[in-house]
Amino acid sequence: MDRTRRTETPRSRRRSGRTPLRHRPLRVFTALAAAALAATGLTVIGDGGTEAAAASPSTAANLAKNPGFESGLDNWTCSGDSGTVVTSPVHGGTGALKAAPAGADNAKCSQTVSVQPNSSYTLSAWVQGSYIYLGASGTGTTDVSTWTSSASSWQQLSTSFKTGAATKTVTIYTHGWYGQPAYFADDFTLDGPGGGDPGEPVPGTPGGLATGAVTASSVALSWNPVTGASGYNVYQDGTKVQATSGASAVVTGLTPSTSYQFQVTATNTAGESPKSAAVSATTKEGGPGPSVPKHAVTGYWQNFNNGATVQKISDVQSQYDIIAVAFADATTTPGAVEFRLDPALNYSEAQFKADIAAKQAAGKSVILSVGGEKGTVSVNDANSANNFANSVYAAMQKYGFNGVDIDLENGLNPTYMTQALRSLSAKAGPQLVITMAPQTIDMQSTGGGYFKTALNIKDILTVVNMQYYNSGAMNGCDGKVYGQGTVDFLTALACIQLEGGLAPSQVGLGLPASTRGAGSGYVAPSVVNNALDCLAKGTGCGSFKPAKTYPGIRGAMTWSTNWDASNGNAWSNAVGPHVHGLP
C-alpha cells in the first residue's frame, strides 16, 4: 500500500543520534546509574534503593491517573514516542507500559499530578526489565527517585517525599537507561492528599447506567454525568477494566455468547465514589463482529497524516463494509506486530474503541492491516508464525478488530503465513475476517507466495483485493500483456485469480480513490464499475471479455477512505452503490 507521502515519524527520527551503549560491560552501566543518582543528590542503597526522607503514606485515593494503563497512554507522556501499551506482560488488569530507550533517549514516561503543599506522599510502581527508574520531580523540596538494575519478573519500586510550602503539582515518572532493552511498568500508586480545594468532596455515585450496542466482543455503556467528577472507572464482573473522562465507554475483548455484569464509579482528586448499580449484558453469538455482505466495499483508514483528510473511524463513509486500519508495525519480537494510534491524529484510545464498536453495530467490519509499502513484518518460521498469531489476536481483543489484512509488500513465506493465519483462526473463531492486498506481480502465478497462501487458506479467506496500481504492464489470463489504467487491465488480471482457484467471492478490485492516492494506476470510478459489470454480468467490457461471468465477485477496495474524503467522496459515492447493486 502506498505510504510514499507519509511524513517522518518520531520513531524513525529517534533511531538516529547517539550510539547506543549496548555493548558496554555491566560494570559500566552500574557506574553510569550511580553517577546519575549522585547528580540528583541521592545515595544508592545496595541494588535498587535510594536514601529519602521517611514519610507516612496517606489513606487518600490514588492520585495517579490511568495508573494501570487500561486506557492506553491517556494522561502519560513518553519522550521520543518511546512508549506503548501492551497486553503482556502485565502486573494487573489488561495493560502495561512498554517503553524502549533508543540512542540518546532513555524512554522517560511521566505525568503531572496535583498535590497539596507541606504534605507527605509515597510513590510506588511495579516494573520489569533492566535499569528502571521511578521518581518524582518538582516536589519543592528534595526530588526523589529509586531504581533497580535487574527485575526479571515484576518488582515493586517505592519512594517517598514531602512537598514544599508552595508546591501544588509534582511530576511522577519512570525511565530506562541508554542502550538497554525495553522495560515494562504497571500499577503506579501515588498516596497522599489530593490537590485543589482541600475540602473537595468525593463525587457521588453515578446513576442511569445502561447498555447500548452489543456485539459478540463488545458492550457499549453510558451513564449520567456526576457533578464534581473528573473521570470514571468501569468495572466488569467486579474488576476495573477501563478509565474514561466522559460518561460513556465501550468494553471490548469479550467472549461471544457470554453474560457480563458492569458497574461504574466517579473519581476526582479527593477519591472514588461507591460503585453504581449493576447492569448485565450478554454478548452476541458467533465471532467478533458482523458477517461481510455478499458484495462488499473495502477502504483503508490511515493512522497517519500524509496530506489526505484526517479522519476518525466514525468519519469513514457509510458505503464501506470493511474498514482496514493501516497499519500495524513490527516489533523487536520476530513475527509479532503492535498497533498504536498516531499522536498526530489527536485521537484517544477510548474513543477509537468506541468508534470501532459503533461501526460494528452498524454492520461493518473493522480489521487491522499489517504491512504497507514500508512495513517489514517477517513470518518465516514456526516461532514467528506463533508470535504473529498471538500479537494480532491480542490487538483484536484489545481494540475489538474483526480480523486482519495482509499487505506485506516485501514478500511472504506461504508455509508459515498459512500456519500463522490458521492459528489466528483457531483463536478468533469462524467469523474472523481475513483479507489480502497483494501487488499485481504477486498474483501472476499460483506458484507465487501470496497466491499459494490464499489457496492454502481458501476455507477461511474472505477476499483478496489486489492492488491494480503502482504497477507495470502485466499478463492477463489470455496470455496477452495489458497496461494499467484500463478496464482490460482490471478484468484480464482478475481472471487469473478467478480461474486459478479462488472463489469469485474471494476476488476484489483494488484501486486508488484519487490521483493523489497512488503514484500511478488511478482510473475513474466508472471504469471500476465497468470492470465489475464485465466480470459479473459480461457487460461493460473492453477488448478482453472473460469466457464466463462471475456474478459472485466480492466487490472493490480503495486506498484510502482519507483520500476519498479529500476528493469529496467521489469514489465511494459512485462505486459503493454499484457494488451493493451487483447480482
Side-chain angles (χ1 to χ4, degrees), residues 262-321:
F262 302 96
Q263 295 170 284
V264 295
T265 62
T267 64
N268 61 15
T269 55
E272 181 178 16
S273 75
K275 293 177 182 176
S276 69
V279 297
S280 297
T282 299
T283 50
K284 294 184 177 180
E285 297 181 359
S291 299
V292 175
K294 178 181 178 181
H295 299 296
V297 180
T298 301
Y300 284 81
W301 175 84
Q302 297 178 184
N303 180 41
F304 50 86
N305 181 0
N306 65 348
T309 298
V310 174
Q311 293 182 311
K312 291 181 168 57
I313 294 295
S314 58
D315 299 325
V316 174
Q317 304 87 317
S318 62
Q319 293 292 343
Y320 292 101
D321 304 292

Coordinates of all heavy atoms in Angstrom, one line a residue, residues 262-321:
F262 N -21.7 -5.1 34.7 CA -20.9 -3.9 34.7 C -21.4 -2.9 35.7 O -22.5 -2.8 36.0 CB -21.0 -3.2 33.3 CG -20.6 -4.1 32.2 CD1 -21.5 -4.8 31.4 CD2 -19.2 -4.2 31.8 CE1 -21.1 -5.7 30.4 CE2 -18.8 -5.0 30.8 CZ -19.7 -5.8 30.1
Q263 N -20.4 -2.2 36.3 CA -20.6 -1.1 37.2 C -19.7 0.1 36.9 O -18.6 -0.2 36.3 CB -20.4 -1.5 38.7 CG -21.4 -2.6 39.1 CD -21.0 -3.1 40.5 OE1 -20.1 -4.0 40.6 NE2 -21.7 -2.7 41.5
V264 N -20.0 1.3 37.3 CA -19.1 2.4 37.2 C -18.9 3.2 38.5 O -19.8 3.1 39.3 CB -19.5 3.4 36.0 CG1 -19.5 2.7 34.7 CG2 -20.9 3.9 36.3
T265 N -17.8 3.9 38.6 CA -17.6 4.8 39.7 C -17.2 6.1 39.2 O -16.7 6.2 38.1 CB -16.5 4.3 40.7 OG1 -15.3 4.2 40.0 CG2 -16.9 2.9 41.3
A266 N -17.4 7.2 40.0 CA -16.9 8.5 39.6 C -15.6 8.8 40.5 O -15.5 8.4 41.6 CB -18.0 9.6 39.9
T267 N -14.7 9.6 39.9 CA -13.5 9.9 40.6 C -13.1 11.4 40.5 O -13.5 12.1 39.5 CB -12.3 9.1 40.0 OG1 -12.0 9.5 38.7 CG2 -12.5 7.6 40.1
N268 N -12.4 11.9 41.4 CA -11.7 13.2 41.4 C -10.5 13.1 42.3 O -10.2 12.0 42.8 CB -12.6 14.3 41.7 CG -13.2 14.3 43.1 OD1 -12.7 13.6 43.9 ND2 -14.2 15.1 43.3
T269 N -9.8 14.2 42.5 CA -8.6 14.1 43.3 C -8.9 13.8 44.8 O -8.0 13.4 45.5 CB -7.9 15.5 43.3 OG1 -8.8 16.5 43.7 CG2 -7.4 15.8 41.9
A270 N -10.1 13.9 45.2 CA -10.5 13.5 46.6 C -10.7 12.0 46.8 O -10.7 11.5 47.9 CB -11.7 14.3 47.0
G271 N -11.0 11.3 45.7 CA -11.2 9.9 45.8 C -12.2 9.3 44.8 O -12.5 10.0 43.8
E272 N -12.7 8.1 45.1 CA -13.5 7.4 44.2 C -14.9 7.1 44.9 O -14.9 6.7 46.0 CB -12.9 6.1 43.7 CG -13.7 5.2 42.8 CD -12.9 4.0 42.4 OE1 -11.9 3.6 43.1 OE2 -13.3 3.3 41.4
S273 N -16.0 7.3 44.1 CA -17.3 7.0 44.7 C -17.6 5.5 44.8 O -16.8 4.7 44.3 CB -18.3 7.6 43.7 OG -18.5 6.8 42.6
P274 N -18.6 5.2 45.6 CA -19.0 3.8 45.6 C -19.5 3.4 44.2 O -19.8 4.2 43.3 CB -20.2 3.8 46.5 CG -20.0 5.0 47.4 CD -19.4 6.0 46.5
K275 N -19.5 2.1 43.9 CA -19.9 1.6 42.6 C -21.4 1.8 42.4 O -22.2 1.7 43.3 CB -19.6 0.1 42.5 CG -18.1 -0.2 42.5 CD -17.8 -1.7 42.5 CE -16.3 -2.0 42.5 NZ -16.0 -3.4 42.6
S276 N -21.7 2.0 41.1 CA -23.1 2.2 40.7 C -23.9 0.9 40.8 O -23.3 -0.2 41.0 CB -23.2 2.7 39.3 OG -22.8 1.7 38.4
A277 N -25.2 0.9 40.6 CA -26.0 -0.3 40.5 C -25.5 -1.0 39.2 O -25.1 -0.4 38.2 CB -27.5 0.1 40.3
A278 N -25.6 -2.3 39.3 CA -25.0 -3.1 38.2 C -26.0 -3.3 37.0 O -27.2 -3.3 37.3 CB -24.6 -4.5 38.7
V279 N -25.5 -3.4 35.8 CA -26.3 -3.8 34.7 C -25.6 -5.0 34.0 O -24.4 -5.2 34.1 CB -26.4 -2.6 33.6 CG1 -27.1 -1.5 34.2 CG2 -25.1 -2.2 33.1
S280 N -26.4 -5.8 33.4 CA -25.9 -7.0 32.8 C -26.1 -7.0 31.3 O -27.1 -6.3 30.8 CB -26.6 -8.3 33.3 OG -26.3 -8.4 34.7
A281 N -25.3 -7.6 30.5 CA -25.4 -7.8 29.1 C -24.8 -9.1 28.6 O -23.8 -9.5 29.2 CB -24.7 -6.6 28.4
T282 N -25.4 -9.7 27.6 CA -24.9 -10.9 27.0 C -24.5 -10.7 25.6 O -25.2 -10.1 24.8 CB -26.0 -12.0 27.1 OG1 -26.4 -12.3 28.4 CG2 -25.5 -13.3 26.5
T283 N -23.2 -11.0 25.4 CA -22.7 -10.8 24.0 C -23.3 -11.7 23.0 O -23.9 -12.7 23.3 CB -21.1 -11.0 24.0 OG1 -20.9 -12.3 24.6 CG2 -20.4 -9.9 24.8
K284 N -23.3 -11.2 21.8 CA -24.0 -12.0 20.7 C -23.2 -13.3 20.3 O -22.1 -13.4 20.7 CB -24.1 -11.1 19.5 CG -25.1 -9.9 19.7 CD -25.2 -9.1 18.4 CE -26.2 -8.0 18.6 NZ -26.4 -7.2 17.3
E285 N -23.9 -14.1 19.6 CA -23.3 -15.4 19.2 C -22.3 -15.1 18.1 O -22.3 -14.1 17.4 CB -24.4 -16.3 18.7 CG -25.3 -16.8 19.8 CD -26.4 -17.7 19.2 OE1 -26.3 -18.1 18.0 OE2 -27.2 -18.2 20.0
G286 N -21.5 -16.1 17.8 CA -20.6 -16.1 16.7 C -19.2 -15.4 17.0 O -18.8 -15.4 18.1
G287 N -18.6 -14.9 15.9 CA -17.3 -14.3 16.1 C -17.3 -12.9 16.6 O -18.3 -12.5 17.2
P288 N -16.3 -12.2 16.4 CA -16.2 -10.8 17.0 C -16.9 -9.7 16.3 O -16.7 -8.6 16.6 CB -14.6 -10.6 16.9 CG -14.2 -11.3 15.7 CD -15.1 -12.6 15.7
G289 N -17.8 -10.0 15.3 CA -18.5 -8.9 14.7 C -19.4 -9.5 13.6 O -19.6 -10.7 13.4
P290 N -19.9 -8.5 12.8 CA -20.9 -8.9 11.8 C -20.2 -9.7 10.6 O -19.0 -9.5 10.4 CB -21.4 -7.6 11.3 CG -20.3 -6.6 11.6 CD -19.7 -7.1 12.8
S291 N -21.0 -10.4 9.8 CA -20.5 -11.1 8.6 C -20.4 -10.0 7.5 O -21.1 -9.0 7.4 CB -21.5 -12.2 8.2 OG -21.6 -13.1 9.2
V292 N -19.4 -10.3 6.6 CA -19.2 -9.4 5.5 C -20.3 -9.7 4.4 O -20.7 -10.8 4.2 CB -17.8 -9.7 4.8 CG1 -17.7 -8.9 3.6 CG2 -16.7 -9.4 5.8
P293 N -21.0 -8.7 3.9 CA -22.0 -8.9 2.9 C -21.5 -9.6 1.6 O -20.3 -9.6 1.4 CB -22.5 -7.5 2.6 CG -21.4 -6.6 3.0 CD -20.7 -7.2 4.1
K294 N -22.5 -10.1 0.9 CA -22.1 -10.8 -0.4 C -21.3 -10.0 -1.3 O -20.3 -10.5 -1.9 CB -23.4 -11.2 -1.1 CG -23.2 -11.9 -2.4 CD -24.5 -12.3 -3.1 CE -24.3 -13.0 -4.4 NZ -25.6 -13.3 -5.1
H295 N -21.6 -8.7 -1.5 CA -20.8 -7.8 -2.3 C -20.4 -6.7 -1.4 O -21.2 -6.0 -0.7 CB -21.6 -7.2 -3.5 CG -22.1 -8.3 -4.4 ND1 -21.2 -9.1 -5.1 CD2 -23.3 -8.7 -4.7 CE1 -21.9 -9.9 -5.9 NE2 -23.1 -9.7 -5.7
A296 N -19.1 -6.5 -1.2 CA -18.6 -5.6 -0.2 C -17.6 -4.6 -0.8 O -16.8 -4.8 -1.7 CB -17.9 -6.4 0.9
V297 N -17.5 -3.4 -0.1 CA -16.5 -2.4 -0.4 C -15.5 -2.3 0.8 O -16.0 -2.1 1.9 CB -17.2 -1.0 -0.6 CG1 -16.2 0.1 -1.0 CG2 -18.2 -1.1 -1.8
T298 N -14.3 -2.3 0.4 CA -13.2 -2.2 1.5 C -12.5 -0.9 1.3 O -12.2 -0.5 0.2 CB -12.2 -3.4 1.3 OG1 -12.8 -4.6 1.4 CG2 -11.1 -3.3 2.4
G299 N -12.2 -0.2 2.4 CA -11.5 1.0 2.4 C -10.4 1.0 3.5 O -10.6 0.6 4.6
Y300 N -9.2 1.5 3.2 CA -8.1 1.6 4.1 C -8.2 2.9 4.8 O -8.3 4.0 4.2 CB -6.8 1.4 3.5 CG -6.4 0.0 3.1 CD1 -7.0 -0.5 1.9 CD2 -5.7 -0.8 3.9 CE1 -6.7 -1.9 1.6 CE2 -5.4 -2.1 3.6 CZ -5.9 -2.6 2.5 OH -5.6 -3.9 2.1
W301 N -8.2 2.9 6.2 CA -8.2 4.1 7.0 C -6.8 4.4 7.5 O -6.1 3.5 8.0 CB -9.1 3.9 8.2 CG -9.1 5.1 9.2 CD1 -9.8 6.2 9.1 CD2 -8.3 5.1 10.4 NE1 -9.6 7.0 10.2 CE2 -8.6 6.4 11.0 CE3 -7.4 4.3 11.0 CZ2 -8.1 6.8 12.2 CZ3 -6.8 4.7 12.2 CH2 -7.2 5.9 12.8
Q302 N -6.3 5.6 7.3 CA -4.9 5.9 7.5 C -4.7 6.4 9.0 O -5.2 7.4 9.4 CB -4.4 7.1 6.6 CG -4.5 6.7 5.1 CD -4.0 7.8 4.2 OE1 -4.1 7.7 3.0 NE2 -3.6 8.9 4.8
N303 N -3.8 5.6 9.7 CA -3.4 6.0 11.0 C -2.2 6.9 11.0 O -1.2 6.7 11.7 CB -3.1 4.7 11.8 CG -2.7 5.0 13.3 OD1 -3.3 5.9 13.9 ND2 -1.7 4.3 13.7
F304 N -2.2 7.9 10.1 CA -1.2 8.9 10.0 C -1.7 10.0 9.1 O -2.8 9.9 8.4 CB 0.1 8.3 9.4 CG -0.1 7.5 8.1 CD1 -0.2 8.1 6.9 CD2 -0.3 6.1 8.2 CE1 -0.4 7.3 5.7 CE2 -0.5 5.4 7.0 CZ -0.6 6.0 5.8
N305 N -1.0 11.1 9.1 CA -1.4 12.3 8.3 C -0.4 12.5 7.2 O 0.8 12.8 7.4 CB -1.5 13.5 9.1 CG -1.9 14.7 8.4 OD1 -2.1 14.7 7.2 ND2 -2.0 15.9 9.1
N306 N -0.7 12.2 5.9 CA 0.2 12.4 4.8 C -0.4 13.4 3.8 O 0.0 13.4 2.6 CB 0.5 11.0 4.1 CG -0.8 10.4 3.4 OD1 -1.9 10.9 3.7 ND2 -0.6 9.4 2.6
G307 N -1.3 14.2 4.2 CA -1.9 15.3 3.4 C -3.3 15.0 3.0 O -4.0 15.9 2.5
A308 N -3.7 13.7 3.2 CA -5.2 13.4 2.9 C -6.0 13.9 4.1 O -5.4 14.2 5.2 CB -5.3 11.9 2.8
T309 N -7.3 13.9 4.0 CA -8.2 14.3 5.1 C -8.0 13.4 6.3 O -8.0 12.2 6.1 CB -9.7 14.2 4.6 OG1 -9.9 15.1 3.5 CG2 -10.6 14.6 5.8
V310 N -7.7 14.0 7.4 CA -7.6 13.2 8.6 C -8.9 12.8 9.2 O -9.8 13.7 9.3 CB -6.8 14.0 9.7 CG1 -6.8 13.3 11.0 CG2 -5.4 14.3 9.2
Q311 N -9.1 11.5 9.4 CA -10.4 11.0 9.8 C -10.3 10.3 11.2 O -9.3 9.7 11.5 CB -11.0 10.1 8.8 CG -11.4 10.6 7.5 CD -12.0 9.6 6.6 OE1 -11.4 8.5 6.4 NE2 -13.1 9.8 6.0
K312 N -11.4 10.2 11.9 CA -11.6 9.2 12.9 C -12.4 8.1 12.3 O -13.0 8.3 11.2 CB -12.4 9.9 14.1 CG -11.5 10.9 14.9 CD -12.3 11.5 16.0 CE -11.4 12.2 17.0 NZ -10.6 13.3 16.3
I313 N -12.5 7.0 12.9 CA -13.2 5.8 12.4 C -14.7 6.2 12.2 O -15.3 5.8 11.2 CB -13.1 4.6 13.3 CG1 -11.6 4.1 13.3 CG2 -14.0 3.5 12.8 CD1 -11.1 3.5 12.0
S314 N -15.2 7.0 13.0 CA -16.6 7.5 12.9 C -16.8 8.3 11.7 O -18.0 8.4 11.2 CB -17.0 8.3 14.2 OG -16.1 9.4 14.3
D315 N -15.8 8.9 11.1 CA -15.9 9.7 9.9 C -15.9 8.9 8.6 O -16.3 9.4 7.5 CB -14.7 10.7 9.8 CG -14.7 11.7 11.0 OD1 -15.7 12.0 11.5 OD2 -13.5 12.0 11.4
V316 N -15.6 7.6 8.7 CA -15.5 6.8 7.5 C -16.9 6.7 6.8 O -17.9 6.4 7.5 CB -14.9 5.4 7.8 CG1 -14.9 4.5 6.5 CG2 -13.4 5.6 8.2
Q317 N -16.9 6.9 5.5 CA -18.2 6.9 4.8 C -18.9 5.6 4.9 O -18.4 4.5 5.0 CB -17.9 7.2 3.3 CG -17.1 8.5 3.1 CD -15.6 8.3 3.2 OE1 -15.1 7.6 4.0 NE2 -14.9 8.9 2.2
S318 N -20.3 5.7 4.9 CA -21.1 4.5 5.2 C -21.1 3.5 4.1 O -21.5 2.3 4.3 CB -22.6 5.0 5.5 OG -23.1 5.6 4.3
Q319 N -20.6 3.8 2.9 CA -20.5 2.8 1.8 C -19.5 1.7 2.1 O -19.6 0.6 1.5 CB -20.2 3.5 0.5 CG -21.2 4.5 0.0 CD -22.5 3.7 -0.4 OE1 -22.5 2.5 -0.7 NE2 -23.6 4.5 -0.6
Y320 N -18.6 1.9 3.0 CA -17.5 0.9 3.3 C -18.0 -0.1 4.2 O -18.4 0.1 5.3 CB -16.3 1.6 3.8 CG -15.6 2.5 2.8 CD1 -15.8 3.9 2.9 CD2 -14.8 2.0 1.8 CE1 -15.1 4.7 1.9 CE2 -14.2 2.8 0.9 CZ -14.4 4.2 0.9 OH -13.7 5.0 0.0
D321 N -17.9 -1.4 3.8 CA -18.3 -2.5 4.6 C -17.2 -3.1 5.4 O -17.4 -3.6 6.5 CB -18.8 -3.6 3.6 CG -20.0 -3.2 2.8 OD1 -21.0 -2.9 3.3 OD2 -19.7 -3.0 1.5

